């Protein structure tokens, strides 16, 4: 953290020949200096580092209104009023705090995501750091609902595009020199989730793949704004993504935008809302509206460019619209009580359950899934032997100004961190 030196007193002769003391003014701490407040590894709560200071703002991008105006019905006007009413100081401060936590953790993880590190170690570093910086360990009932992980840490290698995390008892996976690793994790503060992801690859042969996806994500962020059409955004993203090629094993391979997975809006305590931001050309009437929060993410692949669900379990999510009245097993009722008290509608993993002391929960979980009370999520993969990259940031759609990224500390040229 920057410190101020003691005041310097200078002497100056005035026109009468008398000496006059002049005291230099103290320089105010800039937002940039405040943004450097962090520990390595991240283990000090942000509330202790920032005290009463505001959390750093994200990058601000002005958006020009489109030529055609969106005509809303009365119901849409009510929904719009509800969205904008939520954009108060608490809303923005929660997002800025979550973004600052994500930034610090992400920067730390990038220094250790090297060949030889295990996926379990990376997941622990992400999650321990997030819980430390938010000041909520999530071990007491309801504490994880105040702040902490927005969803399980995604650590996806090569053809696995999304939704893979280390599970208890599974064989350890070690990062290799020729691997392409996607690191995707979320931070929430009072249910306001910041979802951001990046890709690392030690072997430079994948540089063009990463550059393609990074450029595509930046285009999506640039095009986002009030009344922005999803069909237009998807077309722009795909055009940029598929203008790149990668040379692997002396073969030139075009980068393909991945189907079967999209960007999305984010609701409070729910990582996925009802709106989608595709990155392949899509016919849709959906638009972005003021007050909405979007995860702008893109995936590029050297394979077929299609993500399908594979075997395995990434995590679980509570379906709040399904009643638990018909549950029969006591183990299922007990497990559901643990889920509701500690995660609500936040997605969680088996490691999160066992961290709370849950044991012998598999039968109860099977009952919850079969009854539709809890949904399970598996890994999303492209064809074996292919490589997938991902970059992602969050955009808050605002009338007067739209934070291009809620993550503080990005490069001024708009590129994602390497």
């Amino acid at each position: 953290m920057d410190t101020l030196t003691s005041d310097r007193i200078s002497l100056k002769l005035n026109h009468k020949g008398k000496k006059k003391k002049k005291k230099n003014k103290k320089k105010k701490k800039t937002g940039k200096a405040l943004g450097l407040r962090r520990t390595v590894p991240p283990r000090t709560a942000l509330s202790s580092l920032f005290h009463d200071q505001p959390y750093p703002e994200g990058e601000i991008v002005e958006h020009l209104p489109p030529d055609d105006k969106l005509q809303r019905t009365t119901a849409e006007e009510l929904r719009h009023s509800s969205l904008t009413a939520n954009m108060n100081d608490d809303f923005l401060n929660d997002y800025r705090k979550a973004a600052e936590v994500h930034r610090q953790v992400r920067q730390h993880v990038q220094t250790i995501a090297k060949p030889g590190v295990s996926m379990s170690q990376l997941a622990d570093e992400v999650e321990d750091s997030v819980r430390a910086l938010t000041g909520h360990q999530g071990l007491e009932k309801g504490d994880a609902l105040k702040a902490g992980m927005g969803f399980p840490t995604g650590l996806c290698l090569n053809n696995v595009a999304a939704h893979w995390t280390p599970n208890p008892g599974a064989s350890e996976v070690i990062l290799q020199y020729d691997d392409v690793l996607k690191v995707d994790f979320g931070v929430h503060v009072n249910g306001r989730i910041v979802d951001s992801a990046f890709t690392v690859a030690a072997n430079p042969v994948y540089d063009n793949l990463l550059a393609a996806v990074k450029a595509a994500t930046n285009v999506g962020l640039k095009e986002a704004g009030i009344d922005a059409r999803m069909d237009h955004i998807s077309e722009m993203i795909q055009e940029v993504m598929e203008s790149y090629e990668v040379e692997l094993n002396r073969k030139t391979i075009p980068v393909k935008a991945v189907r079967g997975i999209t960007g999305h809006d984010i609701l409070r305590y729910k990582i996925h809302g009802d709106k989608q931001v595709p990155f392949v050309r899509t016919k849709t009437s959906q638009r972005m509206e003021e007050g909405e929060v979007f995860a702008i993410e893109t995936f590029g692949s050297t394979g077929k460019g299609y993500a399908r669900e594979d075997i395995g379990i990434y995590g679980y999510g509570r379906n709040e619209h399904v009643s638990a009245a018909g549950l029969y097993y006591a183990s299922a009722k007990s497990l559901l009580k643990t889920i509701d008290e500690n995660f609500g509608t936040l997605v969680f993993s088996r490691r999160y359950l066992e961290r709370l002391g849950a044991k012998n929960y598999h039968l109860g979980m099977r009952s919850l899934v079969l009854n539709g009370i809890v949904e399970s999520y598996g890994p999303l993969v492209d064809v074996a032997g292919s490589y997938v990259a991902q970059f992602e940031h969050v955009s808050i759609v605002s009338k007067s100004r739209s934070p291009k990224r809620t993550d503080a500390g990005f490069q001024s040229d708009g590129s994602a961190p390497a």
Side-chain angles (χ1 to χ4, degrees):
M1 189 187 302
D2 294 338
T3 56
L4 295 176
T5 57
S6 58
D7 297 335
R8 298 175 183 175
I9 306 299
S10 61
L11 297 177
K12 183 178 180 181
L13 289 173
N14 62 15
H15 66 283
K16 292 183 180 181
K18 295 181 181 180
K19 292 183 178 181
K20 183 177 180 181
K21 291 185 178 181
K22 183 178 180 182
K23 185 175 179 180
N24 290 340
K25 294 182 179 179
K26 291 184 180 180
K27 293 183 178 180
K28 294 183 178 179
K29 293 185 180 181
T30 65
K32 183 176 181 181
L34 292 173
L36 294 176
R37 294 179 170 178
R38 62 176 183 267
T39 58
V40 179
R43 292 295 185 271
T44 304
L46 250 63
S47 57
S48 299
L49 294 177
F50 283 83
H51 302 292
D52 294 329
Q53 297 294 328
Y55 297 106
E57 289 187 352
E59 183 179 350
I60 306 299
V61 176
E62 299 294 337
H63 291 288
L64 296 176
D67 294 332
D68 55 329
K69 303 298 182 182
L70 177 63
Q71 295 182 351
R72 299 184 176 93
T73 64
T74 302
E76 288 174 328
E77 288 175 349
L78 291 173
R79 182 165 55 86
H80 174 261
S81 298
S82 176
L83 286 170
T84 55
N86 288 331
M87 294 185 67
N88 52 28
D89 290 341
D90 289 339
F91 171 93
L92 292 175
N93 198 54
D94 286 345
Y95 265 110
R96 286 169 182 159
K97 180 177 181 179
E100 178 64 14
V101 171
H102 202 293
R103 183 185 70 86
Q104 293 195 21
V105 175
R106 183 177 62 251
Q107 288 184 346
H108 170 60
V109 172
Q110 287 170 344
T111 66
I112 62 174
K114 311 292 183 183
V117 70
S118 70
M119 297 300 103
S120 293
Q121 181 184 347
L122 283 179
D124 287 342
E125 282 294 330
V126 168
E127 292 159 7
D128 290 348
S129 298
V130 168
R131 290 169 182 138
L133 290 184
T134 58
H136 293 275
Q137 288 297 319
L139 293 173
E140 297 180 5
K141 184 173 71 174
D143 191 48
L145 290 171
K146 296 176 182 177
M149 295 300 299
F151 51 85
T153 304
L155 298 170
C156 302
L157 292 173
N158 304 327
N159 69 309
V160 182
H163 296 176
W164 188 95
T165 197
N167 278 316
S171 299
E172 190 59 88
V173 178
I174 306 298
L175 182 63
Q176 305 297 323
Y177 175 77
D178 289 324
D179 285 336
V180 174
L181 170 67
K182 282 76 66 185
V183 181
D184 186 355
F185 66 97
V187 178
H188 90 89
V189 174
N190 294 318
R192 274 110 187 194
I193 306 172
V194 166
D195 179 6
S196 184
F198 61 94
T199 300
V200 293
N203 192 332
V205 299
Y206 305 114
D207 285 354
N208 255 22
L209 173 62
L210 272 62
V213 182
K214 187 182 297 186
T217 298
N218 286 333
V219 166
L221 289 162
K222 181 180 178 181
E223 296 296 328
I226 295 177
D227 285 353
R229 304 192 322 269
M230 305 303 188
D231 55 358
H232 172 72
I233 296 174
S234 66
E235 183 176 359
M236 296 295 292
I237 289 175
Q238 185 176 17
E239 181 178 341
V240 170
M241 175 95 69
E242 297 187 349
S243 67
Y244 285 77
E245 295 177 334
V246 181
E247 185 174 335
L248 298 175
N249 300 321
R250 298 182 180 179
K251 292 182 180 180
T252 300
I253 303 172
V255 177
K256 295 180 181 177
V258 179
R259 292 167 170 80
I261 187 171
T262 69
H264 49 90
D265 64 330
I266 300 175
L267 306 179
R268 195 169 186 184
Y269 288 106
K270 294 183 70 175
I271 187 58
H272 285 266
D274 297 324
K275 291 188 176 182
Q276 296 181 338
V277 187
F279 30 92
V280 292
R281 293 179 183 89
T282 303
K283 291 184 179 179
T284 175
S285 60
Q286 287 188 340
R287 296 180 183 233
M288 293 183 175
E289 297 179 73
E290 183 182 5
E292 292 180 324
V293 181
F294 283 90
I296 306 297
E297 60 181 326
T298 68
F299 294 78
S301 175
T302 62
K304 289 186 176 180
Y306 183 80
R308 60 175 177 82
E309 190 165 13
D310 201 6
I311 59 173
I313 292 294
Y314 160 72
Y316 304 93
R318 174 75 158 95
N319 187 340
E320 60 184 334
H321 302 297
V322 177
S323 171
L327 278 181
Y328 176 77
Y329 294 108
S331 59
K333 294 178 181 179
S334 175
L335 179 59
L336 182 60
K337 185 173 184 292
T338 298
I339 293 170
D340 287 341
E341 290 177 345
N342 294 279
F343 306 113
T345 53
L346 293 172
V347 178
F348 59 94
S349 68
R350 289 174 175 173
R351 284 187 301 110
Y352 294 7
L353 280 176
E354 296 191 10
R355 186 171 179 269
L356 290 171
K359 297 179 181 179
N360 303 320
Y361 56 85
H362 297 287
L363 179 60
M365 183 63 76
R366 185 171 181 272
S367 176
L368 293 177
V369 172
L370 288 175
N371 282 279
I373 298 168
V374 169
E375 297 174 340
S376 63
Y377 309 104
L380 297 175
V381 303
D382 200 347
V383 293
S386 63
Y387 298 92
V388 179
Q390 173 197 17
F391 284 93
E392 175 183 22
H393 302 297
V394 164
S395 177
I396 300 175
V397 183
S398 171
K399 187 173 184 179
S400 57
R401 56 183 185 176
S402 178
K404 182 175 180 181
R405 298 184 176 108
T406 49
D407 309 295
F410 279 81
Q411 290 94 321
S412 59
D413 65 355
S415 60

